[in-house]
Amino acid sequence: MTGGYDDGYKACPCFWGTSPGSIVVALESRIETFVGLHVLDVGCGEGKNAAYLASKGAIVSAIDVSEFAIANARVAWGNRDGVSFAVQDCAELLLPSESFDIVIAYGLLHCLATEDAVKTTVNRLQAATVTGGFHVICTFNARFQELEAHPEFHPILLPHSFYIDLYKEWEILNATDADLTEVHPHNRISHTHSLTRILARKC
Ligand SMILES: C[S@@+](CC[C@H](N)C(=O)[O-])C[C@H]1O[C@@H](n2cnc3c(N)ncnc32)[C@H](O)[C@@H]1O
């Protein structure tokens, strides 16, 4: 299991850049202070979101199944206080009940093998979140995908409504289905993904 992005992680030290994702930044309008909050960043990649929340005072556990992602993350952010990086498959993560204030799954869910794995993972992450805590989800969805920039990668493509439904017991603070056009540094192929982004709070 590699997570699907190892070619990129091996080719350059900073595949995803250093700026946090837009809905991670959007948490700032909902949370007065991040100091002391416990954050889990699942599928953290090279750690841009984890490092950002640690810089705000959160205590961040950041895991990724790719050893290459975590190696790059440690070079980029290893000295930052408040963040720890580990190589781990989310399916094997021990998740004590109600233990995190914020869970970030930015780009993780479409990497999983089956619809059932997506559902099980989201349910486990939900159970590990405190009441009143937040989830930040960003994932490819089924509406429109140009995958030629990722020839060996076969993401699972589920409808936007599937993801919304997983959060029907939560308060959905923001949910969008929008296109992202991007170019990766290792092959420079411009391509577009339809992305579901969800910011939700556990009731
Ligand atoms: C699209 S990348 C996003 C990386 C990072 N969250 C970001 O926004 O920059 C998705 C990440 O999920 C990781 N991943 C895929 N399957 C995983 C799994 N089963 N457990 C943990 N991480 C996984 C991949 O290795 C990859 O680094």
Side-chain angles (χ1 to χ4, degrees):
M1 174 96 196
T2 65
Y5 292 94
D6 276 3
D7 285 353
Y9 295 140
K10 284 189 245 181
C12 55
C14 191
F15 188 66
W16 298 110
T18 53
S19 303
S22 55
I23 44 168
V24 177
V25 176
L27 277 171
E28 282 194 57
S29 65
R30 305 277 176 181
I31 296 177
E32 207 169 295
T33 176
F34 290 90
V35 174
L37 295 186
H38 289 269
V39 175
L40 176 65
D41 185 354
V42 203
C44 66
E46 296 157 315
K48 64 183 201 279
N49 296 317
Y52 170 76
L53 291 173
S55 77
K56 301 271 166 198
I59 301 156
V60 187
S61 299
I63 69 107
D64 200 288
V65 75
S66 164
E67 62 183 288
F68 301 100
I70 294 298
N72 289 355
R74 287 187 172 132
V75 170
W77 314 106
N79 292 331
R80 181 155 294 193
D81 284 344
V83 60
S84 65
F85 292 104
V87 178
Q88 199 160 22
D89 188 327
C90 65
E92 287 159 17
L93 205 50
L94 286 179
L95 290 170
S97 156
E98 305 242 341
S99 49
F100 292 101
D101 300 290
I102 301 170
V103 174
I104 312 287
Y106 220 90
L108 169 77
L109 297 174
H110 62 253
C111 300
L112 304 182
T114 64
E115 177 177 325
D116 203 44
V118 173
K119 201 171 175 188
T120 301
T121 299
V122 170
N123 289 342
R124 291 181 72 231
L125 295 172
Q126 289 175 333
T129 306
V130 301
T131 300
F134 295 84
H135 273 202
V136 174
I137 302 293
C138 178
T139 179
F140 293 0
N141 65 37
R143 183 175 52 74
F144 182 78
Q145 297 296 331
E146 291 177 333
L147 294 170
E148 52 275 20
H150 307 273
E152 307 298 325
F153 182 42
H154 305 290
I156 186 156
L157 300 175
L158 300 167
H160 178 71
S161 58
F162 169 87
Y163 289 104
I164 297 296
D165 204 45
L166 290 179
Y167 284 88
K168 63 176 186 259
E169 310 289 335
W170 287 42
E171 181 186 6
I172 295 183
L173 303 168
N174 192 21
T176 58
D177 171 6
D179 289 347
L180 171 75
T181 298
E182 61 184 354
V183 173
H184 296 309
H186 68 316
N187 61 21
R188 311 298 307 166
I189 300 171
S190 177
H191 60 289
T192 297
H193 301 294
S194 60
L195 291 183
T196 289
R197 292 187 179 89
I198 297 174
L199 173 60
R201 179 159 42 200
K202 186 171 178 177
C203 303

